[in-house]
PDB file of all heavy atoms in Angstrom:
ATOM      1  N   ARG A 119      -0.969  27.331  24.270  1.00 98.00           N
ATOM      2  CA  ARG A 119      -0.872  28.804  24.258  1.00 98.00           C
ATOM      3  C   ARG A 119      -2.216  29.459  23.989  1.00 98.00           C
ATOM      4  O   ARG A 119      -2.569  30.466  24.623  1.00 98.00           O
ATOM      5  CB  ARG A 119       0.144  29.247  23.186  1.00 98.00           C
ATOM      6  CG  ARG A 119       0.307  30.763  23.066  1.00 98.00           C
ATOM      7  CD  ARG A 119       1.187  31.144  21.897  1.00 98.00           C
ATOM      8  NE  ARG A 119       0.586  30.856  20.598  1.00 98.00           N
ATOM      9  CZ  ARG A 119      -0.334  31.604  20.006  1.00 98.00           C
ATOM     10  NH1 ARG A 119      -0.807  32.700  20.599  1.00 98.00           N
ATOM     11  NH2 ARG A 119      -0.805  31.264  18.808  1.00 98.00           N
ATOM     12  N   VAL A 120      -2.991  28.918  23.047  1.00 98.00           N
ATOM     13  CA  VAL A 120      -4.252  29.567  22.684  1.00 98.00           C
ATOM     14  C   VAL A 120      -5.404  29.144  23.592  1.00 98.00           C
ATOM     15  O   VAL A 120      -6.514  29.688  23.495  1.00 98.00           O
ATOM     16  CB  VAL A 120      -4.620  29.303  21.206  1.00 98.00           C
ATOM     17  CG1 VAL A 120      -3.524  29.815  20.286  1.00 98.00           C
ATOM     18  CG2 VAL A 120      -4.909  27.832  20.947  1.00 98.00           C
ATOM     19  N   CYS A 121      -5.156  28.180  24.477  1.00 98.00           N
ATOM     20  CA  CYS A 121      -6.174  27.758  25.442  1.00 98.00           C
ATOM     21  C   CYS A 121      -6.044  28.614  26.693  1.00 98.00           C
ATOM     22  O   CYS A 121      -4.939  28.812  27.207  1.00 98.00           O
ATOM     23  CB  CYS A 121      -5.967  26.282  25.784  1.00 98.00           C
ATOM     24  SG  CYS A 121      -7.209  25.565  26.885  1.00 98.00           S
ATOM     25  N   ARG A 122      -7.146  29.133  27.188  1.00 98.00           N
ATOM     26  CA  ARG A 122      -7.076  30.008  28.357  1.00 98.00           C
ATOM     27  C   ARG A 122      -6.669  29.218  29.609  1.00 98.00           C
ATOM     28  O   ARG A 122      -6.912  28.009  29.699  1.00 98.00           O
ATOM     29  CB  ARG A 122      -8.431  30.681  28.600  1.00 98.00           C
ATOM     30  CG  ARG A 122      -9.529  29.735  29.083  1.00 98.00           C
ATOM     31  CD  ARG A 122     -10.715  30.480  29.640  1.00 98.00           C
ATOM     32  NE  ARG A 122     -11.799  29.583  29.990  1.00 98.00           N
ATOM     33  CZ  ARG A 122     -11.873  28.881  31.126  1.00 98.00           C
ATOM     34  NH1 ARG A 122     -10.890  28.970  32.026  1.00 98.00           N
ATOM     35  NH2 ARG A 122     -12.902  28.093  31.377  1.00 98.00           N
ATOM     36  N   PRO A 123      -6.062  29.872  30.585  1.00 98.00           N
ATOM     37  CA  PRO A 123      -5.784  29.199  31.858  1.00 98.00           C
ATOM     38  C   PRO A 123      -7.076  28.644  32.460  1.00 98.00           C
ATOM     39  O   PRO A 123      -8.098  29.343  32.520  1.00 98.00           O
ATOM     40  CB  PRO A 123      -5.205  30.319  32.722  1.00 98.00           C
ATOM     41  CG  PRO A 123      -4.613  31.270  31.738  1.00 98.00           C
ATOM     42  CD  PRO A 123      -5.522  31.249  30.547  1.00 98.00           C
ATOM     43  N   GLY A 124      -7.053  27.402  32.843  1.00 97.00           N
ATOM     44  CA  GLY A 124      -8.259  26.741  33.341  1.00 97.00           C
ATOM     45  C   GLY A 124      -9.098  26.110  32.255  1.00 97.00           C
ATOM     46  O   GLY A 124     -10.056  25.385  32.539  1.00 97.00           O
ATOM     47  N   GLY A 125      -8.752  26.377  30.980  1.00 98.00           N
ATOM     48  CA  GLY A 125      -9.457  25.761  29.867  1.00 98.00           C
ATOM     49  C   GLY A 125      -8.988  24.329  29.648  1.00 98.00           C
ATOM     50  O   GLY A 125      -8.031  23.865  30.275  1.00 98.00           O
ATOM     51  N   VAL A 126      -9.667  23.627  28.759  1.00 98.00           N
ATOM     52  CA  VAL A 126      -9.353  22.219  28.551  1.00 98.00           C
ATOM     53  C   VAL A 126      -9.042  21.938  27.087  1.00 98.00           C
ATOM     54  O   VAL A 126      -9.479  22.660  26.189  1.00 98.00           O
ATOM     55  CB  VAL A 126     -10.491  21.298  29.028  1.00 98.00           C
ATOM     56  CG1 VAL A 126     -10.702  21.434  30.526  1.00 98.00           C
ATOM     57  CG2 VAL A 126     -11.776  21.563  28.269  1.00 98.00           C
ATOM     58  N   MET A 127      -8.295  20.857  26.896  1.00 98.00           N
ATOM     59  CA  MET A 127      -7.911  20.437  25.551  1.00 98.00           C
ATOM     60  C   MET A 127      -8.189  18.944  25.403  1.00 98.00           C
ATOM     61  O   MET A 127      -7.698  18.133  26.199  1.00 98.00           O
ATOM     62  CB  MET A 127      -6.437  20.723  25.315  1.00 98.00           C
ATOM     63  CG  MET A 127      -5.999  20.541  23.875  1.00 98.00           C
ATOM     64  SD  MET A 127      -4.377  21.287  23.600  1.00 98.00           S
ATOM     65  CE  MET A 127      -3.312  19.924  23.966  1.00 98.00           C
ATOM     66  N   PHE A 128      -8.993  18.599  24.391  1.00 98.00           N
ATOM     67  CA  PHE A 128      -9.280  17.209  24.069  1.00 98.00           C
ATOM     68  C   PHE A 128      -8.394  16.784  22.909  1.00 98.00           C
ATOM     69  O   PHE A 128      -8.418  17.408  21.839  1.00 98.00           O
ATOM     70  CB  PHE A 128     -10.753  17.031  23.693  1.00 98.00           C
ATOM     71  CG  PHE A 128     -11.100  15.650  23.187  1.00 98.00           C
ATOM     72  CD1 PHE A 128     -11.329  14.611  24.071  1.00 98.00           C
ATOM     73  CD2 PHE A 128     -11.173  15.392  21.830  1.00 98.00           C
ATOM     74  CE1 PHE A 128     -11.625  13.334  23.617  1.00 98.00           C
ATOM     75  CE2 PHE A 128     -11.472  14.123  21.353  1.00 98.00           C
ATOM     76  CZ  PHE A 128     -11.694  13.084  22.252  1.00 98.00           C
ATOM     77  N   VAL A 129      -7.601  15.745  23.122  1.00 98.00           N
ATOM     78  CA  VAL A 129      -6.683  15.225  22.115  1.00 98.00           C
ATOM     79  C   VAL A 129      -7.018  13.765  21.868  1.00 98.00           C
ATOM     80  O   VAL A 129      -7.228  12.992  22.815  1.00 98.00           O
ATOM     81  CB  VAL A 129      -5.219  15.339  22.587  1.00 98.00           C
ATOM     82  CG1 VAL A 129      -4.281  14.608  21.631  1.00 98.00           C
ATOM     83  CG2 VAL A 129      -4.806  16.798  22.704  1.00 98.00           C
ATOM     84  N   SER A 130      -7.071  13.375  20.603  1.00 98.00           N
ATOM     85  CA  SER A 130      -7.210  11.955  20.276  1.00 98.00           C
ATOM     86  C   SER A 130      -6.164  11.573  19.242  1.00 98.00           C
ATOM     87  O   SER A 130      -5.643  12.416  18.517  1.00 98.00           O
ATOM     88  CB  SER A 130      -8.617  11.637  19.763  1.00 98.00           C
ATOM     89  OG  SER A 130      -8.914  12.354  18.575  1.00 98.00           O
ATOM     90  N   ASP A 131      -5.855  10.278  19.210  1.00 98.00           N
ATOM     91  CA  ASP A 131      -4.825   9.785  18.289  1.00 98.00           C
ATOM     92  C   ASP A 131      -5.141   8.328  17.960  1.00 98.00           C
ATOM     93  O   ASP A 131      -5.860   7.647  18.706  1.00 98.00           O
ATOM     94  CB  ASP A 131      -3.443   9.892  18.945  1.00 98.00           C
ATOM     95  CG  ASP A 131      -2.292   9.727  17.963  1.00 98.00           C
ATOM     96  OD1 ASP A 131      -2.543   9.707  16.737  1.00 98.00           O
ATOM     97  OD2 ASP A 131      -1.133   9.634  18.427  1.00 98.00           O
ATOM     98  N   PHE A 132      -4.621   7.876  16.846  1.00 98.00           N
ATOM     99  CA  PHE A 132      -4.714   6.459  16.483  1.00 98.00           C
ATOM    100  C   PHE A 132      -3.935   5.672  17.528  1.00 98.00           C
ATOM    101  O   PHE A 132      -2.803   6.009  17.863  1.00 98.00           O
ATOM    102  CB  PHE A 132      -4.138   6.255  15.091  1.00 98.00           C
ATOM    103  CG  PHE A 132      -4.487   4.946  14.448  1.00 98.00           C
ATOM    104  CD1 PHE A 132      -5.803   4.558  14.301  1.00 98.00           C
ATOM    105  CD2 PHE A 132      -3.489   4.111  13.964  1.00 98.00           C
ATOM    106  CE1 PHE A 132      -6.131   3.353  13.687  1.00 98.00           C
ATOM    107  CE2 PHE A 132      -3.807   2.913  13.346  1.00 98.00           C
ATOM    108  CZ  PHE A 132      -5.135   2.526  13.216  1.00 98.00           C
ATOM    109  N   HIS A 133      -4.541   4.635  18.073  1.00 98.00           N
ATOM    110  CA  HIS A 133      -3.998   3.951  19.245  1.00 98.00           C
ATOM    111  C   HIS A 133      -2.750   3.135  18.887  1.00 98.00           C
ATOM    112  O   HIS A 133      -2.706   2.456  17.855  1.00 98.00           O
ATOM    113  CB  HIS A 133      -5.065   3.031  19.831  1.00 98.00           C
ATOM    114  CG  HIS A 133      -4.873   2.739  21.285  1.00 98.00           C
ATOM    115  ND1 HIS A 133      -3.844   1.952  21.760  1.00 98.00           N
ATOM    116  CD2 HIS A 133      -5.580   3.129  22.378  1.00 98.00           C
ATOM    117  CE1 HIS A 133      -3.932   1.865  23.067  1.00 98.00           C
ATOM    118  NE2 HIS A 133      -4.969   2.581  23.472  1.00 98.00           N
ATOM    119  N   ALA A 134      -1.748   3.186  19.765  1.00 98.00           N
ATOM    120  CA  ALA A 134      -0.520   2.416  19.551  1.00 98.00           C
ATOM    121  C   ALA A 134      -0.807   0.921  19.471  1.00 98.00           C
ATOM    122  O   ALA A 134      -0.132   0.186  18.732  1.00 98.00           O
ATOM    123  CB  ALA A 134       0.480   2.706  20.670  1.00 98.00           C
ATOM    124  N   ALA A 135      -1.819   0.439  20.207  1.00 98.00           N
ATOM    125  CA  ALA A 135      -2.160  -0.986  20.176  1.00 98.00           C
ATOM    126  C   ALA A 135      -2.704  -1.390  18.813  1.00 98.00           C
ATOM    127  O   ALA A 135      -2.501  -2.525  18.366  1.00 98.00           O
ATOM    128  CB  ALA A 135      -3.172  -1.313  21.273  1.00 98.00           C
ATOM    129  N   ALA A 136      -3.417  -0.476  18.154  1.00 98.00           N
ATOM    130  CA  ALA A 136      -3.938  -0.769  16.821  1.00 98.00           C
ATOM    131  C   ALA A 136      -2.799  -0.909  15.825  1.00 98.00           C
ATOM    132  O   ALA A 136      -2.815  -1.792  14.952  1.00 98.00           O
ATOM    133  CB  ALA A 136      -4.904   0.330  16.372  1.00 98.00           C
ATOM    134  N   VAL A 137      -1.798  -0.048  15.936  1.00 97.00           N
ATOM    135  CA  VAL A 137      -0.629  -0.140  15.056  1.00 97.00           C
ATOM    136  C   VAL A 137       0.106  -1.456  15.301  1.00 97.00           C
ATOM    137  O   VAL A 137       0.501  -2.155  14.358  1.00 97.00           O
ATOM    138  CB  VAL A 137       0.316   1.061  15.271  1.00 97.00           C
ATOM    139  CG1 VAL A 137       1.547   0.937  14.376  1.00 97.00           C
ATOM    140  CG2 VAL A 137      -0.414   2.376  14.999  1.00 97.00           C
ATOM    141  N   ALA A 138       0.258  -1.821  16.568  1.00 97.00           N
ATOM    142  CA  ALA A 138       0.938  -3.069  16.907  1.00 97.00           C
ATOM    143  C   ALA A 138       0.198  -4.283  16.354  1.00 97.00           C
ATOM    144  O   ALA A 138       0.820  -5.309  16.035  1.00 97.00           O
ATOM    145  CB  ALA A 138       1.082  -3.187  18.421  1.00 97.00           C
ATOM    146  N   ALA A 139      -1.137  -4.159  16.213  1.00 97.00           N
ATOM    147  CA  ALA A 139      -1.953  -5.253  15.677  1.00 97.00           C
ATOM    148  C   ALA A 139      -1.970  -5.269  14.153  1.00 97.00           C
ATOM    149  O   ALA A 139      -2.637  -6.115  13.551  1.00 97.00           O
ATOM    150  CB  ALA A 139      -3.375  -5.150  16.220  1.00 97.00           C
TER     151      ALA A 139
END
Side-chain angles (χ1 to χ4, degrees):
R119 179 187 68 79
V120 301
C121 184
R122 70 165 175 81
V126 297
M127 190 166 90
F128 173 81
V129 172
S130 61
D131 194 10
F132 195 55
H133 205 290
V137 179

